[in-house]
Amino acid sequence: MVKLVALKLLARVAAFLQRTRRRRKVNEALRASEEHYRVLFEQTADGIVLADATGRYVDVNAAACKMLGYSREEVLARSIPDVLEPGEWSRIAPEIARFADGRVMRSEWRFRRKDGSVFVGEITGSQFADGRVQGILRDLTERRETEAAIRVGEERTRSILESITDGFFVLDHDWRVTYINAAGER
């Protein structure tokens, strides 16, 4: 009888130790996964923000803080409307409503930095089942400046080509005319 009780006790202890080892492995895997996520979250060049169902920020990475000009603590003390231009506020509810069916939203917004300057940013966002909203923020300032510089250069080139008295044309790889100046048309 004592031997049977001792065997049952040993079996229970062995089962307990096995569960403890499994739980430890699961916890270690979870910690490793969280660490991996945190490294990706913090090292990406894009801003990443997470807001609760009321729109208050609950997590933000360093890139988003830099874009907005706030410290992490300052961003976490704010909500979505606090970093948008006032003219954008009316767009928030309809955009978030689009999340309800699980779609990913991508749109441009005018953001206001801490210093009052404004930039256009592209947000790619979605909503979790619990109402939290996550977004990836990309500052479009440099892209917009580059596009503007290209347009100015193209306009300047077109102006020069239109002012010359010689005919000028451009052909594509299939020998089709893609541009011809006024002198060339004449």
Side-chain angles (χ1 to χ4, degrees):
M1 180 73 147
V2 173
K3 191 174 185 182
L4 185 60
V5 171
L7 287 174
K8 283 183 180 181
L9 181 61
L10 284 173
R12 282 185 174 174
V13 169
F16 173 77
L17 290 174
Q18 189 176 17
R19 282 193 308 271
T20 302
R21 280 191 293 269
R22 274 194 300 244
R23 192 173 302 129
R24 188 177 307 129
K25 281 185 178 184
V26 167
N27 286 337
E28 287 171 2
L30 181 59
R31 271 193 301 280
S33 176
E34 288 173 351
E35 182 180 335
H36 178 73
Y37 158 77
R38 185 54 58 185
V39 167
L40 289 173
F41 183 82
E42 289 301 333
Q43 291 183 355
T44 183
D46 291 329
I48 300 175
V49 294
L50 180 66
D52 65 18
T54 69
R56 180 143 312 272
Y57 290 111
V58 294
D59 205 358
V60 60
N61 72 349
C65 293
K66 183 177 178 183
M67 280 182 221
L68 297 169
Y70 291 100
S71 71
R72 176 179 167 75
E73 293 73 25
E74 289 172 322
V75 174
L76 295 179
R78 288 175 167 62
S79 63
I80 293 170
D82 296 335
V83 298
L84 293 174
E85 276 283 88
E88 301 283 59
W89 295 350
S90 63
R91 295 178 52 204
I92 296 170
E95 288 290 332
I96 291 178
R98 289 178 35 202
F99 291 152
D101 63 1
R103 287 188 289 169
V104 173
M105 180 246 340
R106 175 177 273 153
S107 57
E108 293 181 8
W109 296 76
R110 289 185 327 272
F111 291 87
R112 181 172 294 280
R113 291 185 178 98
K114 181 179 180 178
D115 67 8
S117 63
V118 176
F119 73 97
V120 175
E122 177 185 71
I123 281 279
T124 303
S126 59
Q127 188 174 35
F128 296 104
D130 64 4
R132 289 177 302 149
V133 177
Q134 68 86 27
I136 299 172
L137 172 60
R138 184 169 287 149
D139 185 343
L140 299 180
T141 303
E142 190 174 312
R143 182 189 310 171
R144 293 285 170 86
E145 290 171 353
T146 301
E147 290 169 352
I150 289 170
R151 277 193 302 279
V152 166
E154 288 172 347
E155 290 170 11
R156 186 178 307 124
T157 300
R158 186 170 284 111
S159 175
I160 291 168
L161 293 175
E162 290 300 324
S163 71
I164 62 175
T165 57
D166 294 332
F168 180 86
F169 60 93
V170 177
L171 303 173
D172 67 12
H173 67 280
D174 291 324
W175 296 93
R176 291 183 294 232
V177 174
T178 60
Y179 173 81
I180 188 166
N181 68 353
E185 286 178 6
R186 283 192 297 276

